[in-house]
């Protein structure tokens, strides 16, 4: 019978196996490595890696929260951008409205001041204010003429601006030119100051060049011609309305020295001279832009840079005594030919004397 093997003790089972000296070197290394002797399921315990799982879950939760916050932030930004875009469209729609063409409060104030000065001039109020027997130099009629001329200048420039806007220059929408506010002109010196100086010193009307029009935005030659002629046409219409008013106030065969009527007659002459002079094809005048419409961009660019100086040169030429006297006689003769009352040119001259009270 075979001899049974004695049972192994706990010491024998816990003893480290000593590699056989006759084994191969690789087998000796594997036998000596404690990790190789560890059972395969030694790490499959519930405690190993348990502390890592909550951290992973927590990391995934934080990542989900970050992604949710990022998505919410992007949604909020998109919503805010949409609101801003809608607000911009609303503001643009509100800005571009029919109110852009309404007369400004400044223009209405000018009309009110002109009307008040006209009433004081009509009643000769300054004579009542002065002591009896005192010589009076009327100062209200010059104010009436000044206010009336500023209104006439605003209408002249409004005609240019409206024609340019309808022809394609949308940059003028809502501007002072379309709202009849001469004190807010971009070119206030040429559009307001110079015309007032021309009238006060020369005794005739002359408007500055329309330097505010962007001629590159007016596409065709015909439209450019219409824009250039709109101002003189407006001045001609104002002159006709004022001359007709004077003709109705002073019937044929009668004469008057009323300050208000003489001021209106002089304003009629000032608007006519402005229209006639501006029709000349000279740089700085409206007639030049009619010619420039057929000559090219070089001509337009020249007057854009030098138009103000050319306008002053034209006034200096007309201010010469010989030229001025001939020019005024021609205008008086034209009114005498067109109007039924031959005394109206005399009223115009009286209005000029009221304006140039220092002369």
């Amino acid at each position: 019978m075979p001899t049974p093997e004695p049972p192994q003790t706990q010491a024998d089972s816990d003893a480290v196996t000593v590699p056989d000296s006759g084994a191969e070197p690789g087998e000796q290394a594997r036998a000596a490595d404690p990790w190789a002797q560890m059972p395969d399921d030694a790490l499959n315990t519930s405690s190993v890696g348990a502390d890592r799982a909550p951290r992973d879950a927590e990391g995934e939760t934080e990542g989900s929260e970050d992604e949710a916050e990022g998505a919410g932030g992007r949604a909020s930004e998109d919503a805010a951008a949409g609101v801003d875009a809608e607000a911009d469209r609303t503001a643009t729609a509100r800005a571009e409205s029919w109110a852009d063409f309404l007369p400004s409060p400044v223009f209405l104030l000018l009309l009110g001041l002109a009307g008040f000065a006209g009433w004081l001039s009509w009643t000769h109020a300054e004579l009542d204010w002065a002591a009896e027997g005192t010589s009076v130099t009327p100062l209200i009629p010059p104010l009436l003429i000044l206010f009336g001329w500023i209104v006439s200048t605003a209408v002249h420039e409004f005609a240019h601006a409206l024609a340019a806007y309808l022809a394609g220059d949308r940059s003028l929408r809502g501007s002072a030119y379309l709202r009849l506010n001469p004190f807010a002109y971009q070119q206030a010196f040429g559009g307001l100051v110079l015309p007032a100086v021309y009238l006060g010193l020369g005794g005739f009307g002359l408007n500055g060049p329309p330097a505010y029009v962007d001629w590159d935005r007016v596409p065709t030659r015909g439209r450019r011609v219409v824009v250039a002629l709109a101002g003189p046409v407006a001045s001609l219409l104002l002159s006709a309305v004022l001359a007709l008013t004077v003709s109705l106030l002073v019937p044929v065969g009668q004469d008057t020295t009323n300050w208000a009527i003489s001021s209106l007659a002089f304003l009629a002459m000032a608007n006519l001279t402005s229209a006639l002079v501006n029709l000349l094809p000279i740089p700085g005048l409206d007639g030049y832009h009619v010619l420039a419409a057929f000559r090219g961009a070089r001509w337009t660019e020249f007057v854009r840079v030098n138009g103000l100086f050319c306008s002053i040169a034209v006034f200096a030429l007309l201010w010469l005594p010989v030229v001025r006297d001939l020019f005024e006689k021609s205008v008086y003769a034209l009114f005498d030919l067109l109007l039924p009352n031959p005394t109206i040119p005399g009223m115009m001259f009286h209005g000029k004397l009221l304006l140039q009270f220092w002369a």
Side-chain angles (χ1 to χ4, degrees), residues 56-79:
D56 294 342
E58 183 180 356
E60 293 178 358
T61 304
E62 293 178 354
S64 301
E65 292 178 356
D66 293 341
E67 292 178 359
E69 291 178 359
R74 287 192 297 270
S76 301
E77 292 177 359
D78 294 340

Side-chain angles (χ1 to χ4, degrees), residues 49-352:
D51 57 340
R52 186 170 61 248
R55 288 197 300 270
D56 294 342
E58 183 180 356
E60 293 178 358
T61 304
E62 293 178 354
S64 301
E65 292 178 356
D66 293 341
E67 292 178 359
E69 291 178 359
R74 287 192 297 270
S76 301
E77 292 177 359
D78 294 340
V83 172
D84 293 342
E86 184 65 24
D88 292 341
R89 286 192 295 269
T90 304
T92 302
R94 190 186 305 113
E96 295 183 357
S97 64
W98 54 270
D100 295 336
F101 302 95
L102 289 179
S104 67
V106 174
F107 183 75
L108 299 179
L109 177 62
L110 285 172
L111 290 178
L113 291 175
F116 183 64
W119 178 75
L120 293 177
S121 299
W122 181 276
T123 58
H124 295 159
E126 289 179 274
L127 296 179
D128 298 334
W129 298 342
E132 186 177 356
T134 305
S135 177
V136 176
T137 299
L139 298 180
I140 294 181
L143 290 178
L144 170 60
I145 295 174
L146 178 61
F147 292 145
W149 178 238
I150 293 177
V151 170
S152 302
T153 300
V155 173
H156 180 100
E157 303 302 339
F158 170 80
H160 279 305
L162 181 61
Y165 175 80
L166 296 176
D169 186 5
R170 304 298 183 183
S171 63
L172 293 173
R173 185 180 185 117
S175 65
Y177 298 96
L178 282 179
R179 299 210 60 196
L180 297 163
N181 184 4
F183 295 98
Y185 284 170
Q186 295 178 358
Q187 306 289 337
F189 182 75
L192 176 63
V193 177
L194 281 184
V197 172
Y198 292 161
L199 186 71
L201 295 180
F204 55 86
L206 178 61
N207 292 91
Y212 50 89
V213 176
D214 189 354
W215 296 98
D216 295 334
R217 298 189 179 186
V218 182
T220 62
R221 295 176 179 176
R223 293 183 180 183
R224 293 187 179 187
V225 171
V226 171
V227 173
L229 294 179
V233 170
S235 296
L236 280 174
L237 292 176
L238 281 176
S239 178
V241 170
L242 291 170
L244 180 61
T245 302
V246 173
S247 299
L248 294 177
L249 292 174
V250 183
V252 179
Q254 296 186 13
D255 196 0
T256 183
T257 57
N258 183 275
W259 295 345
I261 296 178
S262 297
S263 299
L264 293 179
F266 177 72
L267 285 173
M269 188 198 74
N271 278 279
L272 180 64
T273 56
S274 174
L276 294 178
V277 174
N278 269 295
L279 290 176
L280 297 176
I282 300 176
L285 304 179
D286 295 332
Y288 178 85
H289 289 286
V290 176
L291 186 62
F294 299 92
R295 302 302 298 178
R298 180 183 299 178
W299 287 50
T300 304
E301 184 63 26
F302 171 79
V303 75
R304 182 179 300 171
V305 176
N306 304 294
L308 196 63
F309 304 102
C310 296
S311 176
I312 296 175
V314 171
F315 169 74
L317 178 63
L318 293 175
W319 198 25
L320 295 174
V322 177
V323 180
R324 183 178 67 237
D325 292 343
L326 179 61
F327 180 56
E328 289 182 352
K329 289 180 180 179
S330 301
V331 174
Y332 291 148
L334 181 60
F335 274 111
D336 193 13
L337 180 64
L338 296 177
L339 298 179
N341 193 341
T343 61
I344 291 181
M347 302 176 201
M348 295 177 178
F349 182 73
H350 182 219
K352 179 183 177 181

